[in-house]
């Protein structure tokens, strides 16, 4: 389940980010300006004008391209909450499966849609893709609540959610490679759409909502999971306690941490290639390779941090609450400082790349920190909690790229330095809120009325027995 969940996230991200590379070949290209911008680095190599002055493709200006690239998140935010609720009520298997399948189908239709509908058609299609992918994290969280014991959540959560980094790596690197080999941007969408459909077939055959419904699980593993998860989970939760959830202080602390994580993450994902090409003046091939390196390190570090966090909790060196706060702090303060140091490293390209890579590597601590915290707060409503938290955080996917474009019209070092200072401030403020009010304990509203009644009856039985003995 964890491996297929990992592949689900990886597929979702490849289909999400492949357009970032493909759009450079879809739009009409022009010769770059030779003017030297004060505060930026000199170009390492002279690019051949014949490669960039080709007049072909669609005549979409920068504003139109920005709308196209952000359109995905308008749909993505909408289906978080419905996806989480459906996953809790009916299981996450098909809530997740059909979400990824629909995105795969829309990805396959991208070339046809662009040829027929142009920019407007592509914007609508990207919104629809976002609607499909919006169920991914809430559904996976609901399934992890039914499969992952507390002592294994750090590792399983890091493995599953770490698929985002593999998706970023594959979506960026393979898109450039495939376009280069085929000479056709349409091939990228056919490739990743087909892989998404293949994943759905395997998912439908191999994975199930919970251990009870799995026909091939061993008795030993089933018994272990029942004992480890039995008192934390209700297979059919009742009406969602909305008032208690929205009045929960630890929940809003988690929302703040998610906003901080997503703001920094989307700033790097969307704009790191722009920094490398606009400020450091890397050629496009070097940019593609070096832009993938931080995500490789982040994926590896998330697995290591997940293992370390589980070990700390299992050996009771820290409480679950303190472990979540510690790893979230590492993932907030560390990357922010590295970004600032990179912006003050000027044109020392080796140092800048090392610092950006270290920044994303430290960000891997978010996964065993705040990313799995929704499972701690409520296993019964894990899908809904993840939907609220991830949905609000995803709004930064619209805000961060827009703000970067607003602050860096000339793409100079000074302008980018302000971007990174703002990112550090967001990291620190949101982390302080999380450290002050977050919790790793199960919240009282996680208990359904049935569970509360059973606990009351059990308590009453104990009291009666004590009185009888007395």
């Amino acid at each position: 389940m964890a491996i297929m969940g990992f592949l689900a996230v990886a597929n979702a991200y490849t289909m999400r980010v492949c357009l970032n590379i493909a759009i450079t070949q879809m739009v009409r290209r022009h010769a770059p300006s030779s003017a030297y911008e004060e505060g930026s680095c000199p170009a390492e190599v002279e690019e051949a004008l014949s490669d960039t002055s080709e007049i072909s493709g669609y005549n979409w200006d920068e504003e139109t391209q920005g709308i196209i690239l952000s359109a995905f998140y308008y749909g993505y935010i909408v289906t978080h909450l419905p996806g989480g609720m459906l996953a809790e009520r009916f299981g996450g298997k098909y809530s997740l499966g059909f979400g990824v399948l629909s995105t795969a189908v829309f990805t396959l239709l991208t070339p046809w849609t662009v040829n027929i509908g142009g920019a407007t058609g592509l914007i609508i299609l990207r919104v629809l893709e976002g609607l499909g992918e919006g169920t991914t994290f809430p559904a996976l969280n609901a399934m992890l609540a039914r499969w992952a014991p507390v002592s294994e959540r750090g590792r399983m959560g890091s493995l599953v959610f770490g698929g985002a980094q593999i998706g970023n790596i594959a979506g960026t690197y393979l898109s450039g490679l495939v376009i280069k080999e085929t000479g056709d941007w349409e091939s990228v969408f056919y490739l990743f759409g087909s892989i998404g459909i293949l994943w759905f077939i395997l998912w439908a055959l191999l994975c199930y909502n919970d251990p009870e419904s799995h026909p091939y699980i061993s008795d030993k593993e089933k018994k272990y999971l029942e004992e480890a998860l039995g008192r934390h989970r209700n297979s059919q939760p009742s009406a969602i306690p909305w008032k208690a959830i929205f009045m929960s202080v630890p929940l809003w602390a988690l929302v703040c941490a998610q906003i901080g994580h997503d703001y920094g993450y989307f700033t790097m994902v969307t704009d790191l290639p722009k920094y490398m090409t606009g400020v450091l003046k890397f050629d496009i091939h070097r940019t593609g390779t070096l832009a993938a390196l931080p995500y490789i390190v982040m994926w590896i570090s998330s697995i290591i941090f997940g293992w370390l966090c589980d070990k700390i909790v299992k050996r009771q060196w820290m409480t679950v609450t303190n472990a979540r706060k510690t790893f979230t702090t590492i993932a907030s303060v560390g990357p922010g400082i590295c970004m600032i140091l990179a912006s003050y490293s000027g044109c020392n390209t080796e140092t800048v790349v090392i610092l950006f890579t270290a920044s994303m590597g430290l960000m891997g601590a978010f996964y065993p920190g705040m990313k799995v915290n929704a499972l701690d707060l409520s296993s019964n409503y894990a899908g809904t909690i993840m939907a609220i938290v991830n949905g609000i955080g995803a709004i930064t996917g619209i805000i961060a790229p827009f703000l970067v474009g607003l602050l860096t019209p000339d793409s100079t070092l000074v302008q980018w330095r302000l971007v990174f200072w703002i990112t550090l401030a967001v990291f620190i403020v949101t982390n302080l809120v999380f450290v002050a009010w977050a919790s790793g304990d199960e919240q009282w509203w996680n208990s359904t009325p049935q569970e509360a009644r059973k606990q009351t009856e059990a308590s009453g039985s104990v009291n009666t027995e004590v009185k009888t003995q007395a």
Side-chain angles (χ1 to χ4, degrees):
M1 206 291 290
I3 292 173
M4 288 302 295
F6 159 80
L7 293 174
V9 177
N11 271 298
Y13 270 74
T14 57
M15 292 185 286
R16 183 189 306 188
V17 305
C18 64
L19 179 64
N20 298 350
I21 301 298
I23 200 170
T24 63
Q25 304 300 311
M26 296 165 66
V27 299
R28 187 171 296 176
R29 293 169 288 166
H30 305 282
S33 172
S34 59
Y36 175 73
E37 298 284 356
E38 184 180 358
S40 62
C41 303
E44 294 185 343
V45 295
E46 291 292 332
E47 296 185 21
L49 289 179
S50 59
D51 291 338
T52 55
S53 60
E54 178 186 352
I55 300 179
S56 62
Y58 299 94
N59 191 23
W60 299 337
D61 58 23
E62 292 295 329
E63 182 179 354
T64 302
Q65 293 179 50
I67 295 172
I68 291 171
L69 292 174
S70 66
F72 174 91
Y73 294 98
Y74 288 97
Y76 184 68
I77 294 168
V78 170
T79 51
H80 264 68
L81 198 53
M85 295 169 64
L86 287 171
E88 287 165 357
R89 179 62 60 182
F90 303 107
K93 176 174 180 176
Y94 288 108
S95 178
L96 170 65
F98 286 130
V100 175
L101 176 64
S102 64
T103 306
V105 172
F106 292 137
T107 300
L108 286 172
L109 292 175
T110 299
W112 177 81
T113 302
V114 174
N115 291 330
I116 298 298
T120 302
L122 182 56
I123 290 169
I124 295 172
L125 189 70
R126 290 291 288 181
V127 173
L128 293 174
E129 286 186 29
L131 290 172
E133 277 197 28
T135 64
T136 303
F137 285 104
L140 276 172
N141 223 39
M143 293 193 71
L144 283 172
R146 301 181 179 188
W147 281 97
V150 174
S151 62
E152 297 179 36
R153 282 179 185 170
R155 280 170 290 173
M156 288 187 70
S158 296
L159 173 60
V160 171
F161 299 134
Q165 313 319 319
I166 298 302
N168 281 327
I169 296 164
T172 302
Y173 179 76
L174 291 180
S175 291
L177 182 63
V178 169
I179 292 174
K180 179 181 178 182
E181 293 298 325
T182 63
D184 184 10
W185 60 265
E186 296 182 358
S187 56
V188 169
F189 299 99
Y190 296 137
L191 171 65
F192 292 123
S194 299
I195 294 175
I197 291 176
L198 176 61
W199 171 88
F200 172 78
I201 294 172
L202 294 174
W203 174 259
L205 293 174
L206 298 175
C207 295
Y208 296 83
N209 288 320
D210 48 47
E212 290 82 0
S213 62
H214 200 298
Y216 310 117
I217 191 171
S218 67
D219 292 336
K220 181 180 180 181
E221 183 179 11
K222 185 176 181 180
K223 181 179 179 182
Y224 163 70
L225 290 173
E226 286 176 348
E227 292 175 351
L229 297 167
R231 69 182 185 86
H232 296 286
R233 182 183 61 80
N234 180 54
S235 59
Q236 289 294 331
S238 61
I240 298 171
W242 292 111
K243 182 179 179 181
I245 289 175
F246 284 112
M247 292 292 289
S248 174
V249 174
L251 171 68
W252 289 108
L254 177 57
V255 168
C256 283
Q258 183 74 44
I259 290 172
H261 164 265
D262 283 0
Y263 186 87
Y265 184 75
F266 286 129
T267 297
M268 294 293 283
V269 168
T270 307
D271 298 303
L272 182 57
K274 289 173 62 178
Y275 187 87
M276 289 183 170
T277 56
V279 176
L280 300 179
K281 297 297 189 293
F282 287 175
D283 65 85
I284 190 62
H285 300 297
R286 189 178 181 189
T287 296
T289 302
L290 293 178
L293 179 61
Y295 305 117
I296 297 174
V297 174
M298 183 176 180
W299 176 64
I300 295 172
S301 71
S302 69
I303 300 297
I304 296 173
F305 281 127
W307 170 83
L308 182 61
C309 183
D310 282 345
K311 185 174 182 179
I312 288 172
V313 171
K314 199 168 186 176
R315 297 197 176 185
Q316 298 182 344
W317 294 341
M318 284 186 186
T319 63
V320 174
T321 297
N322 288 336
R324 301 291 183 244
K325 291 180 179 180
T326 299
F327 282 87
T328 301
T329 301
I330 293 171
S332 297
V333 179
I337 292 174
C338 288
M339 289 181 192
I340 296 297
L341 292 176
S343 70
Y344 282 96
S345 297
C347 300
N348 189 333
T349 55
E350 290 79 8
T351 302
V352 172
V353 170
I354 289 172
L355 287 169
F356 278 138
T357 302
S359 175
M360 295 300 286
L362 291 171
M363 211 176 285
F366 267 123
Y367 291 101
M370 49 75 58
K371 272 291 185 180
V372 297
N373 187 226
L375 293 173
D376 302 322
L377 300 180
S378 173
S379 57
N380 287 331
Y381 306 107
T384 298
I385 301 305
M386 175 60 89
I388 295 170
V389 173
N390 212 56
I392 294 175
I395 296 173
T396 60
I398 301 170
I399 297 173
F402 173 77
L403 187 59
V404 169
L406 196 65
L407 295 175
T408 59
D410 305 312
S411 198
T412 65
L413 284 167
V414 175
Q415 292 170 349
W416 274 97
R417 197 168 291 150
L418 177 59
V419 169
F420 294 133
W421 273 112
I422 292 174
T423 303
L424 176 61
V426 172
F427 270 140
I428 291 176
V429 171
T430 54
N431 182 68
L432 286 174
V433 174
F434 187 79
V435 170
W437 289 291
S439 173
D441 300 325
E442 180 181 294
Q443 299 301 291
W444 65 268
W445 42 263
N446 181 60
S447 298
T448 63
Q450 296 92 333
E451 291 174 328
R453 186 164 52 251
K454 288 179 180 179
Q455 292 172 1
T456 301
E457 290 173 355
S459 176
S461 299
V462 172
N463 291 336
T464 301
E465 184 177 346
V466 171
K467 290 179 180 178
T468 302
Q469 289 176 351

